[in-house]
Amino acid sequence: MPNTSPSSPDARYSLAALLEPASLAKLGAIGAIVLALIVLFLWTGGWLTSGRLTQTRLIDTFEDVNGPHPGFRRNHAKGVCLAGTFESNGDGTQFSTASAFKPGRVPVSGRFALAGGMPMRPDKPTAVRSMALSFALADGETWRTAMNDIPVFPVRDPQAFYGQLLSSRRDPRTGKPDPIAKKAFLAAHPETARAMATIRAHPFSSGFANATYNALNAFLLVDAAGRTTPVRWSMRPVDAFAPEPSNPPADKNYLFDELIARIAKAPAQWHLILTIGQPGDPTNDATLPWPTDRQQVNAGTLSVDRIVAEAESNCRDISFDPLTLPAGIEPSDDPLLSARSAAYSVSFSRRAGEPKTPSAVQVPQGR
């Protein structure tokens, strides 16, 4: 029997036992696992490949291009928080078991914002607007989605996104992006040139409340039998479309101020539209639109009834990670999804540890 006395060394841990071939093999295996974890950690952080694009390098470049703005998101920096509810009509359950699609109402929080990393930038008629949402579902599940009011994404992979960001860096001599760098980027990325033409042909609405917001990446809905269906979803406004004004107000926050005034009168609503993909529709390239004849399912109505300025513990502290998905919704093979998730994480970590000045948009009391 082994000696189990507290004062006697266990024979299993004697030097002779550890030098036996079987013990050496076990120690070698443990060491290999530890080494692999260290290498993976260093690789993920970009320590082993200084030229490799990482989420850290991507966020560093945002800061380089847009300047330092402590406490703010590195992209979609100018925004306000929203609160409301989503009422599902049950029509989405034919494609997915997600509780968000079961009949009923769930609370929603989120954020309206402008694309770009400058939190004090003036509003412009063709500024890309975004709606980010966090659905508080049953059983503690959360569904988060970030959508834009453009029909396609300008790039199809993280490396192209990085290149586009670099090409938009302002020339210190002119204060504007270098047109030669822009031209070179578009020549190397014809898919972006096509996507930008599609975006330019898309009419911008007059405000936040009458804009359609599109989750530009594809996802997979999973039904009770385990069947998957590719989907792209949108929030389509109940408010009638009105085109961007030719002479916008001089107020540098006019888009946000109009939104605050609009929702002070009555809730603004959007229908959640599921566009159902068919075999062959691209799920890994967000620069490509799907054919316009695809089936569309109205899955329910979002009602936004409150707007508040960003502050501690509200939407300022939410990362609208597109991979925060409930059971019944899965990511597609779109490479932008994992890149966005990782970059949002870095942006969140940085701003969470920084002091923050008040946001550009403040909401009058009583609204």
Side-chain angles (χ1 to χ4, degrees), residues 223-241:
D223 68 12
R227 291 184 293 262
T228 59
T229 302
V231 65
R232 285 175 172 172
W233 58 71
S234 305
M235 283 291 179
R236 186 174 298 168
V238 171
D239 282 15
F241 176 85

PDB file of all heavy atoms in Angstrom, residues 223-241:
ATOM      1  N   ASP A 223     -34.365  25.948 -37.269  1.00  0.00           N
ATOM      2  CA  ASP A 223     -35.701  25.593 -36.812  1.00  0.00           C
ATOM      3  C   ASP A 223     -35.654  24.383 -35.874  1.00  0.00           C
ATOM      4  O   ASP A 223     -34.568  23.847 -35.565  1.00  0.00           O
ATOM      5  CB  ASP A 223     -36.644  25.374 -37.998  1.00  0.00           C
ATOM      6  CG  ASP A 223     -36.284  24.135 -38.810  1.00  0.00           C
ATOM      7  OD1 ASP A 223     -35.455  23.317 -38.346  1.00  0.00           O
ATOM      8  OD2 ASP A 223     -36.853  23.972 -39.906  1.00  0.00           O
ATOM      9  N   ALA A 224     -36.831  23.930 -35.442  1.00  0.00           N
ATOM     10  CA  ALA A 224     -36.904  22.859 -34.447  1.00  0.00           C
ATOM     11  C   ALA A 224     -36.328  21.538 -34.963  1.00  0.00           C
ATOM     12  O   ALA A 224     -35.892  20.696 -34.172  1.00  0.00           O
ATOM     13  CB  ALA A 224     -38.357  22.672 -34.019  1.00  0.00           C
ATOM     14  N   ALA A 225     -36.329  21.353 -36.271  1.00  0.00           N
ATOM     15  CA  ALA A 225     -35.783  20.127 -36.861  1.00  0.00           C
ATOM     16  C   ALA A 225     -34.286  20.232 -37.133  1.00  0.00           C
ATOM     17  O   ALA A 225     -33.692  19.286 -37.659  1.00  0.00           O
ATOM     18  CB  ALA A 225     -36.527  19.795 -38.152  1.00  0.00           C
ATOM     19  N   GLY A 226     -33.697  21.378 -36.810  1.00  0.00           N
ATOM     20  CA  GLY A 226     -32.268  21.570 -37.035  1.00  0.00           C
ATOM     21  C   GLY A 226     -31.934  22.089 -38.420  1.00  0.00           C
ATOM     22  O   GLY A 226     -30.755  22.221 -38.767  1.00  0.00           O
ATOM     23  N   ARG A 227     -32.954  22.410 -39.230  1.00  0.00           N
ATOM     24  CA  ARG A 227     -32.697  22.949 -40.571  1.00  0.00           C
ATOM     25  C   ARG A 227     -32.232  24.396 -40.466  1.00  0.00           C
ATOM     26  O   ARG A 227     -32.761  25.162 -39.653  1.00  0.00           O
ATOM     27  CB  ARG A 227     -33.958  22.869 -41.436  1.00  0.00           C
ATOM     28  CG  ARG A 227     -34.374  21.450 -41.827  1.00  0.00           C
ATOM     29  CD  ARG A 227     -35.575  21.508 -42.752  1.00  0.00           C
ATOM     30  NE  ARG A 227     -36.750  21.997 -42.059  1.00  0.00           N
ATOM     31  CZ  ARG A 227     -37.695  21.204 -41.548  1.00  0.00           C
ATOM     32  NH1 ARG A 227     -37.589  19.890 -41.669  1.00  0.00           N
ATOM     33  NH2 ARG A 227     -38.731  21.726 -40.923  1.00  0.00           N
ATOM     34  N   THR A 228     -31.273  24.761 -41.294  1.00  0.00           N
ATOM     35  CA  THR A 228     -30.769  26.136 -41.283  1.00  0.00           C
ATOM     36  C   THR A 228     -31.215  26.874 -42.536  1.00  0.00           C
ATOM     37  O   THR A 228     -31.290  26.297 -43.624  1.00  0.00           O
ATOM     38  CB  THR A 228     -29.228  26.173 -41.198  1.00  0.00           C
ATOM     39  OG1 THR A 228     -28.680  25.481 -42.321  1.00  0.00           O
ATOM     40  CG2 THR A 228     -28.741  25.529 -39.911  1.00  0.00           C
ATOM     41  N   THR A 229     -31.515  28.144 -42.346  1.00  0.00           N
ATOM     42  CA  THR A 229     -31.959  29.013 -43.447  1.00  0.00           C
ATOM     43  C   THR A 229     -31.150  30.293 -43.404  1.00  0.00           C
ATOM     44  O   THR A 229     -31.130  30.976 -42.374  1.00  0.00           O
ATOM     45  CB  THR A 229     -33.456  29.359 -43.299  1.00  0.00           C
ATOM     46  OG1 THR A 229     -34.227  28.153 -43.278  1.00  0.00           O
ATOM     47  CG2 THR A 229     -33.924  30.247 -44.427  1.00  0.00           C
ATOM     48  N   PRO A 230     -30.475  30.659 -44.506  1.00  0.00           N
ATOM     49  CA  PRO A 230     -29.749  31.941 -44.503  1.00  0.00           C
ATOM     50  C   PRO A 230     -30.723  33.107 -44.484  1.00  0.00           C
ATOM     51  O   PRO A 230     -31.800  33.047 -45.100  1.00  0.00           O
ATOM     52  CB  PRO A 230     -28.956  31.892 -45.816  1.00  0.00           C
ATOM     53  CG  PRO A 230     -29.707  30.941 -46.686  1.00  0.00           C
ATOM     54  CD  PRO A 230     -30.335  29.933 -45.783  1.00  0.00           C
ATOM     55  N   VAL A 231     -30.348  34.155 -43.778  1.00  0.00           N
ATOM     56  CA  VAL A 231     -31.244  35.298 -43.628  1.00  0.00           C
ATOM     57  C   VAL A 231     -30.440  36.582 -43.490  1.00  0.00           C
ATOM     58  O   VAL A 231     -29.307  36.573 -42.987  1.00  0.00           O
ATOM     59  CB  VAL A 231     -32.147  35.096 -42.385  1.00  0.00           C
ATOM     60  CG1 VAL A 231     -31.322  35.099 -41.111  1.00  0.00           C
ATOM     61  CG2 VAL A 231     -33.233  36.158 -42.295  1.00  0.00           C
ATOM     62  N   ARG A 232     -31.036  37.650 -43.963  1.00  0.00           N
ATOM     63  CA  ARG A 232     -30.583  39.003 -43.639  1.00  0.00           C
ATOM     64  C   ARG A 232     -31.803  39.739 -43.092  1.00  0.00           C
ATOM     65  O   ARG A 232     -32.890  39.615 -43.662  1.00  0.00           O
ATOM     66  CB  ARG A 232     -30.043  39.735 -44.879  1.00  0.00           C
ATOM     67  CG  ARG A 232     -28.657  39.245 -45.317  1.00  0.00           C
ATOM     68  CD  ARG A 232     -28.229  39.908 -46.625  1.00  0.00           C
ATOM     69  NE  ARG A 232     -26.839  39.595 -46.947  1.00  0.00           N
ATOM     70  CZ  ARG A 232     -26.257  39.916 -48.099  1.00  0.00           C
ATOM     71  NH1 ARG A 232     -26.937  40.553 -49.040  1.00  0.00           N
ATOM     72  NH2 ARG A 232     -24.986  39.610 -48.306  1.00  0.00           N
ATOM     73  N   TRP A 233     -31.624  40.490 -42.017  1.00  0.00           N
ATOM     74  CA  TRP A 233     -32.788  41.161 -41.449  1.00  0.00           C
ATOM     75  C   TRP A 233     -32.638  42.670 -41.508  1.00  0.00           C
ATOM     76  O   TRP A 233     -31.514  43.207 -41.608  1.00  0.00           O
ATOM     77  CB  TRP A 233     -33.065  40.693 -40.027  1.00  0.00           C
ATOM     78  CG  TRP A 233     -31.956  40.867 -39.029  1.00  0.00           C
ATOM     79  CD1 TRP A 233     -31.497  42.040 -38.496  1.00  0.00           C
ATOM     80  CD2 TRP A 233     -31.180  39.820 -38.458  1.00  0.00           C
ATOM     81  NE1 TRP A 233     -30.495  41.782 -37.622  1.00  0.00           N
ATOM     82  CE2 TRP A 233     -30.276  40.422 -37.565  1.00  0.00           C
ATOM     83  CE3 TRP A 233     -31.175  38.429 -38.592  1.00  0.00           C
ATOM     84  CZ2 TRP A 233     -29.357  39.685 -36.830  1.00  0.00           C
ATOM     85  CZ3 TRP A 233     -30.269  37.692 -37.869  1.00  0.00           C
ATOM     86  CH2 TRP A 233     -29.369  38.323 -36.991  1.00  0.00           C
ATOM     87  N   SER A 234     -33.789  43.334 -41.435  1.00  0.00           N
ATOM     88  CA  SER A 234     -33.841  44.791 -41.513  1.00  0.00           C
ATOM     89  C   SER A 234     -34.902  45.308 -40.550  1.00  0.00           C
ATOM     90  O   SER A 234     -35.818  44.574 -40.185  1.00  0.00           O
ATOM     91  CB  SER A 234     -34.212  45.251 -42.933  1.00  0.00           C
ATOM     92  OG  SER A 234     -33.346  44.712 -43.903  1.00  0.00           O
ATOM     93  N   MET A 235     -34.776  46.569 -40.174  1.00  0.00           N
ATOM     94  CA  MET A 235     -35.819  47.285 -39.469  1.00  0.00           C
ATOM     95  C   MET A 235     -36.366  48.337 -40.437  1.00  0.00           C
ATOM     96  O   MET A 235     -35.656  49.269 -40.812  1.00  0.00           O
ATOM     97  CB  MET A 235     -35.280  47.943 -38.194  1.00  0.00           C
ATOM     98  CG  MET A 235     -35.071  46.987 -37.038  1.00  0.00           C
ATOM     99  SD  MET A 235     -36.660  46.378 -36.409  1.00  0.00           S
ATOM    100  CE  MET A 235     -36.061  45.279 -35.097  1.00  0.00           C
ATOM    101  N   ARG A 236     -37.631  48.136 -40.849  1.00  0.00           N
ATOM    102  CA  ARG A 236     -38.249  49.011 -41.854  1.00  0.00           C
ATOM    103  C   ARG A 236     -39.224  49.958 -41.148  1.00  0.00           C
ATOM    104  O   ARG A 236     -40.125  49.505 -40.438  1.00  0.00           O
ATOM    105  CB  ARG A 236     -38.970  48.158 -42.896  1.00  0.00           C
ATOM    106  CG  ARG A 236     -39.521  48.940 -44.077  1.00  0.00           C
ATOM    107  CD  ARG A 236     -40.080  47.981 -45.114  1.00  0.00           C
ATOM    108  NE  ARG A 236     -39.039  47.096 -45.650  1.00  0.00           N
ATOM    109  CZ  ARG A 236     -39.293  46.007 -46.396  1.00  0.00           C
ATOM    110  NH1 ARG A 236     -40.531  45.686 -46.686  1.00  0.00           N
ATOM    111  NH2 ARG A 236     -38.310  45.254 -46.843  1.00  0.00           N
ATOM    112  N   PRO A 237     -39.104  51.266 -41.367  1.00  0.00           N
ATOM    113  CA  PRO A 237     -39.878  52.226 -40.555  1.00  0.00           C
ATOM    114  C   PRO A 237     -41.362  52.254 -40.921  1.00  0.00           C
ATOM    115  O   PRO A 237     -41.732  52.033 -42.083  1.00  0.00           O
ATOM    116  CB  PRO A 237     -39.213  53.558 -40.892  1.00  0.00           C
ATOM    117  CG  PRO A 237     -38.718  53.382 -42.289  1.00  0.00           C
ATOM    118  CD  PRO A 237     -38.252  51.946 -42.364  1.00  0.00           C
ATOM    119  N   VAL A 238     -42.158  52.546 -39.906  1.00  0.00           N
ATOM    120  CA  VAL A 238     -43.574  52.823 -40.143  1.00  0.00           C
ATOM    121  C   VAL A 238     -43.743  54.251 -40.652  1.00  0.00           C
ATOM    122  O   VAL A 238     -44.586  54.531 -41.499  1.00  0.00           O
ATOM    123  CB  VAL A 238     -44.379  52.602 -38.845  1.00  0.00           C
ATOM    124  CG1 VAL A 238     -45.810  53.092 -38.994  1.00  0.00           C
ATOM    125  CG2 VAL A 238     -44.359  51.112 -38.468  1.00  0.00           C
ATOM    126  N   ASP A 239     -42.915  55.169 -40.152  1.00  0.00           N
ATOM    127  CA  ASP A 239     -42.951  56.546 -40.650  1.00  0.00           C
ATOM    128  C   ASP A 239     -42.658  56.565 -42.150  1.00  0.00           C
ATOM    129  O   ASP A 239     -41.785  55.825 -42.635  1.00  0.00           O
ATOM    130  CB  ASP A 239     -41.898  57.406 -39.932  1.00  0.00           C
ATOM    131  CG  ASP A 239     -42.346  57.809 -38.532  1.00  0.00           C
ATOM    132  OD1 ASP A 239     -43.308  57.212 -38.023  1.00  0.00           O
ATOM    133  OD2 ASP A 239     -41.705  58.701 -37.954  1.00  0.00           O
ATOM    134  N   ALA A 240     -43.367  57.406 -42.872  1.00  0.00           N
ATOM    135  CA  ALA A 240     -43.191  57.486 -44.316  1.00  0.00           C
ATOM    136  C   ALA A 240     -41.807  58.017 -44.673  1.00  0.00           C
ATOM    137  O   ALA A 240     -41.278  58.913 -44.002  1.00  0.00           O
ATOM    138  CB  ALA A 240     -44.272  58.375 -44.923  1.00  0.00           C
ATOM    139  N   PHE A 241     -41.250  57.470 -45.748  1.00  0.00           N
ATOM    140  CA  PHE A 241     -39.942  57.942 -46.217  1.00  0.00           C
ATOM    141  C   PHE A 241     -40.056  59.369 -46.730  1.00  0.00           C
ATOM    142  O   PHE A 241     -41.010  59.730 -47.418  1.00  0.00           O
ATOM    143  CB  PHE A 241     -39.436  57.033 -47.335  1.00  0.00           C
ATOM    144  CG  PHE A 241     -38.143  57.499 -47.956  1.00  0.00           C
ATOM    145  CD1 PHE A 241     -36.931  57.152 -47.387  1.00  0.00           C
ATOM    146  CD2 PHE A 241     -38.150  58.304 -49.094  1.00  0.00           C
ATOM    147  CE1 PHE A 241     -35.738  57.589 -47.943  1.00  0.00           C
ATOM    148  CE2 PHE A 241     -36.961  58.746 -49.663  1.00  0.00           C
ATOM    149  CZ  PHE A 241     -35.758  58.382 -49.077  1.00  0.00           C
TER     150      PHE A 241
END
